[in-house]
Amino acid sequence: MKKRALTLIMMLLLVAFSTVTVFAATTSTKKVIDNDGLLSSSEAGSLESKLKQLSNGIDMDVAVVTVSEIPDNYSQFGDSAARKYAHDVYEAQGYSEDGGIMLLICKATGDAAFSTMGKGIEVFTDSAQNSIMSAMRSDLSAGNFASAFDKYTDKVNAVYNDYAENNGEKPFRFGLLGGISSAIGALVGAIRSGSLKSQLRSVYKKDEAQQYIKSGSFKLNKKIDIETYKEVHREKIQKQPASTTETSSSGKTHGGTSHKF
Amino acid sequence: MALLEYKCPACAGKLEFNANAGKVKCPFCDSEFDMAMFEQLDAALDSQVEENLSWQTASTDTWTDSDNAGMAVYSCQSCGAQIVTDETTAASKCPYCDNPIVMMGNLKGDLKPDLIIPFKLDKKAAKAEYTKHLSGKKLLPSVFSNQNHIDEIKGVYVPYWIFDSKAEASMQYDCTTVKSFNVGEWRVTETQHYKAFRSGSLEFENIPVDASKKIEDSLTESLEPFDLSQAVPFQTAYMAGYMADRYDVTAEDDAERVNARVKTSTERTFADSVAGYSSVAVTDSNINLKNGTAKYALLPVWIMNTTWKGNNYIFAMNGQTGKFVGDLPCDESLKKKITWGTAAIAAIATFAVGFLIHLFT
């Protein structure tokens, strides 16, 4: 009986693990496109593998694209040129419309712009993008692009985890679930053996005499309830931060922000 | 002249009367209170009663020469129990510790029981209940039930004090109700504090407390309840074939135990009348017992002893209702196996369910 139960549980686990890929919404597109040659090949390779792992983990595309210039036809957008260009690059590279974030860097003009789509708009709000930018600004200004992109990767992961925790959507944490399962297992084991052991005990001290109260003998001759004072506590309701959205050249909706470094 | 001081119900700071506002104000937390509230509090406090928990023993009748005729008193040299039987009942071992007992003096001058509940169930019923008591218990070592055959089951009239009383109580509670609601961009939580006063009375009847030092209180309390409506005036004739333990705890000595039980039940019953609050805490409890009386009674108990692995196990059955009690030994190695086996299965199942929930939500 126990062997059957174990076999069934193992099969369920296998089925569960084997279905992981079915739910992935990331694309197979390269996550690092270094057109401006800001990274060495080993740095680019290392970043590619990190971003792929992160993309799979959070089920959204996380990408970095570097360009040598912003095309002239985007100059009509003024300060928003880099961001508008980033939206079009995002679509041109085929990143997921269901969810993603892309960082566009143009060293020549000192522009950094984010473009988000789908779930990425909800997760990576304007303030989140500002905090990502703050984390890497000094490295970008100093020309330490590999380090800046590492910080980008870490910060995107942290922002996603915060979002997931606040929205009850947590990434799978093997250790945490293992710990909780062990604790629940130990508790269930202790309750079962405790319950079996309690069958051996039938001798208890009585701390009350409830069954010896004479029926109908309880009489209340004073029942007074007086309001004394009131405490009032006010707490400001936290509003969810929002993302500003706009449309790309193709008319699709994106979130994003523009920055200078 | 005594200076009257009021403490703030919110922070316990010393309150001051604010003549301009016509209210009492706390200088520490700025809480304000209406004078009417203090008038109500004073009136409620004035009618509180002082606690008094005392009993009177109703029993005064003692054994006389004529009662004493035909009775034998034995003493256990091991646990000190004094066992009373009629002369025709052979008594050789103590019912509590199974050691030999020896004949001693007589009962003249001892308090005579007011009441007795005669045995309704016989030795055969006690043996059957013992067998039933051992069955269906997974952690009971199988060798215990196989090796332990209780040959001697003794019918013992255990001495009890039977308490009756009227409890008059005066209780005070601090209570709160909590309301939460949204006002614009604010979440507001209002906690309204109350003082609740309850006074009244409650009657208790026939609370049995054993009057023997040799038998554990927990064992006799586990045998409850006895139906005292079936008790009859004591007659020595009921002793034929049974033993009786001679009381060695007075009603005054037992009063502490019964008072604790009466107090708990009185507090519980009064607390049930404080309803509709989010929280209720007792701040003052005064219980006054009136007409508290204690009668001396002999109640029927079948007692059996067995020794296993150096420990003495005592079992008892209510000789009136058949309720059987007695703690049993535990197979510790089997307990460990069951604990870890169950824990492993539950942990794997929890992990699998947790993982599936993560995937599909």
Side-chain angles (χ1 to χ4, degrees):
Chain A
M1 186 66 193
K2 276 182 189 170
K3 273 186 183 173
R4 276 187 192 175
L6 276 172
T7 312
L8 182 68
I9 289 162
M10 294 312 290
M11 281 174 69
L12 280 171
L13 283 172
L14 277 173
V15 170
F17 278 114
S18 66
T19 55
V20 170
T21 52
V22 173
F23 297 95
T26 56
T27 61
S28 56
T29 317
K30 277 186 76 180
K31 307 296 185 239
V32 180
I33 299 169
D34 186 17
N35 293 324
D36 201 18
L38 302 180
L39 300 171
S40 67
S41 59
S42 66
E43 286 169 344
S46 164
L47 182 61
E48 175 71 28
S49 98
K50 277 184 194 168
L51 290 180
K52 265 193 178 152
Q53 199 182 348
L54 177 59
S55 298
N56 287 331
I58 69 172
D59 204 19
M60 282 191 277
D61 276 332
V62 183
V64 173
V65 174
T66 69
V67 291
S68 54
E69 58 177 359
I70 309 290
D72 287 344
N73 55 324
Y74 286 91
S75 59
Q76 57 175 311
F77 298 112
D79 289 346
S80 306
R83 190 173 72 244
K84 286 283 189 183
Y85 182 45
H87 298 330
D88 291 341
V89 171
Y90 186 105
E91 288 174 24
Q93 292 299 332
Y95 293 126
S96 173
E97 293 185 9
D98 293 332
I101 180 168
M102 188 200 81
L103 169 66
L104 181 92
I105 294 290
C106 180
K107 184 186 169 191
T109 57
D111 279 308
F114 293 98
S115 177
T116 57
M117 266 196 107
K119 194 177 171 187
I121 298 174
E122 188 186 331
V123 177
F124 304 104
T125 59
D126 292 356
S127 68
Q129 290 173 33
N130 291 338
S131 75
I132 296 169
M133 187 61 202
S134 297
M136 56 182 184
R137 178 171 274 117
S138 59
D139 279 329
L140 288 174
S141 303
N144 299 325
F145 294 100
S147 170
F149 298 152
D150 271 346
K151 285 177 181 160
Y152 165 72
T153 312
D154 294 342
K155 198 71 185 165
V156 164
N157 189 26
V159 167
Y160 179 81
N161 286 338
D162 283 349
Y163 167 84
E165 268 185 32
N166 293 331
N167 292 274
E169 186 186 321
K170 292 181 179 160
F172 184 68
R173 292 177 185 168
F174 186 89
L176 182 66
L177 183 59
I180 291 170
S181 302
S182 303
I184 290 175
L187 186 68
V188 171
I191 288 172
R192 179 154 188 243
S193 61
S195 157
L196 289 173
K197 192 169 182 182
S198 73
Q199 292 177 350
L200 303 174
R201 280 205 68 199
S202 52
V203 175
Y204 298 97
K205 253 187 174 335
K206 280 197 189 312
D207 65 348
E208 43 74 29
Q210 217 69 22
Q211 67 193 114
Y212 301 104
I213 295 172
K214 198 171 171 181
S215 175
S217 70
F218 178 46
K219 289 184 179 64
L220 269 183
N221 52 35
K222 181 165 81 178
K223 187 178 178 188
I224 301 170
D225 295 67
I226 301 169
E227 284 186 10
T228 49
Y229 65 102
K230 189 188 275 183
E231 282 176 304
V232 180
H233 176 71
R234 285 185 181 82
E235 194 176 356
K236 195 157 192 178
I237 300 164
Q238 297 292 323
K239 282 189 180 163
Q240 290 286 333
S243 283
T244 313
T245 55
E246 60 192 347
T247 52
S248 62
S249 303
S250 66
K252 290 177 181 168
T253 305
H254 286 260
T257 50
S258 307
H259 308 269
K260 286 281 181 187
F261 61 89
Chain B
M1 193 177 82
L3 193 63
L4 193 59
E5 255 188 33
Y6 284 106
K7 283 190 175 174
C8 173
C11 73
K14 189 180 161 189
L15 293 175
E16 288 171 359
F17 181 71
N18 185 318
N20 294 331
K23 287 183 172 182
V24 172
K25 196 169 177 184
C26 176
F28 302 98
C29 69
D30 290 333
S31 299
E32 284 188 353
F33 306 95
D34 287 328
M35 288 306 293
M37 189 269 284
F38 285 97
E39 284 166 18
Q40 284 177 306
L41 277 177
D42 284 343
L45 285 165
D46 283 346
S47 55
Q48 298 291 98
V49 297
E50 291 296 311
E51 186 160 291
N52 175 20
L53 296 162
S54 60
W55 299 86
Q56 284 184 334
T57 308
S59 311
T60 50
D61 204 6
T62 54
W63 291 86
T64 61
D65 278 337
S66 58
D67 291 325
N68 205 25
M71 303 302 291
V73 181
Y74 296 84
S75 173
C76 175
Q77 301 303 299
S78 176
C79 75
Q82 291 191 8
I83 309 300
V84 184
T85 68
D86 70 332
E87 279 180 343
T88 59
T89 304
S92 59
K93 284 191 169 179
C94 174
Y96 300 129
C97 67
D98 219 26
N99 282 306
I101 53 177
V102 295
M103 177 91 80
M104 56 172 288
N106 60 37
L107 294 163
K108 192 177 174 185
D110 268 13
L111 213 52
K112 191 176 155 187
D114 300 304
L115 300 167
I116 185 167
I117 295 179
F119 272 91
K120 285 213 156 179
L121 297 165
D122 61 10
K123 189 181 280 190
K124 201 174 153 191
K127 278 189 174 175
E129 283 301 318
Y130 174 69
T131 308
K132 212 166 123 187
H133 187 65
L134 300 189
S135 67
K137 295 186 168 63
K138 205 163 184 168
L139 289 181
L140 177 68
S142 53
V143 285
F144 180 84
S145 35
N146 295 338
Q147 289 175 359
N148 280 274
H149 301 288
I150 294 185
D151 298 322
E152 200 172 2
I153 300 177
K154 300 173 187 89
V156 181
Y157 281 109
V158 174
Y160 277 80
W161 292 107
I162 307 294
F163 292 91
D164 288 342
S165 177
K166 182 177 180 180
E168 289 189 343
S170 176
M171 314 289 296
Q172 254 188 68
Y173 307 89
D174 276 351
C175 317
T176 61
T177 54
V178 181
K179 265 195 307 188
S180 288
F181 48 89
N182 291 349
V183 179
E185 57 184 2
W186 296 90
R187 180 77 181 155
V188 181
T189 305
E190 279 185 4
T191 307
Q192 176 67 57
H193 293 255
Y194 298 83
K195 283 261 180 214
F197 299 86
R198 298 287 183 275
S199 289
S201 61
L202 185 62
E203 288 176 48
F204 291 85
E205 58 182 1
N206 297 330
I207 309 170
V209 181
D210 84 70
S212 172
K213 283 180 186 162
K214 274 75 65 183
I215 190 162
E216 287 291 328
D217 288 347
S218 52
L219 190 72
T220 53
E221 285 170 11
S222 301
L223 288 169
E224 293 178 21
F226 287 92
D227 181 2
L228 266 294
S229 69
Q230 293 181 355
V232 294
F234 175 75
Q235 287 177 41
T236 52
Y238 289 115
M239 301 275 288
Y242 299 103
M243 301 175 179
D245 185 9
R246 199 176 184 179
Y247 86 92
D248 56 4
V249 180
T250 63
E252 289 73 27
D253 292 338
D254 265 347
E256 193 181 334
R257 180 86 197 109
V258 77
N259 285 347
R261 292 178 65 179
V262 164
K263 197 171 175 185
T264 304
S265 284
T266 304
E267 286 176 346
R268 201 175 285 177
T269 305
F270 275 77
D272 287 345
S273 74
V274 188
Y277 293 106
S278 311
S279 73
V280 176
V282 182
T283 53
D284 194 25
S285 159
N286 290 303
I287 296 170
N288 189 359
L289 293 186
K290 283 200 165 174
N291 311 321
T293 59
K295 295 183 289 273
Y296 177 28
L298 294 180
L299 305 187
V301 178
W302 286 102
I303 292 178
M304 50 211 89
N305 276 281
T306 189
T307 304
W308 193 69
K309 289 193 172 177
N311 294 320
N312 185 43
Y313 291 88
I314 183 164
F315 303 97
M317 187 181 90
N318 183 319
Q320 181 190 34
T321 65
K323 186 177 182 186
F324 197 101
V325 298
D327 290 343
L328 293 162
C330 176
D331 185 335
E332 290 297 337
S333 92
L334 181 61
K335 184 180 164 230
K336 271 184 198 160
K337 282 180 195 163
I338 288 174
T339 305
W340 289 113
T342 308
I345 291 169
I348 292 169
T350 308
F351 188 90
V353 170
F355 188 73
L356 290 173
I357 288 171
H358 172 77
L359 283 182
F360 293 105
T361 55

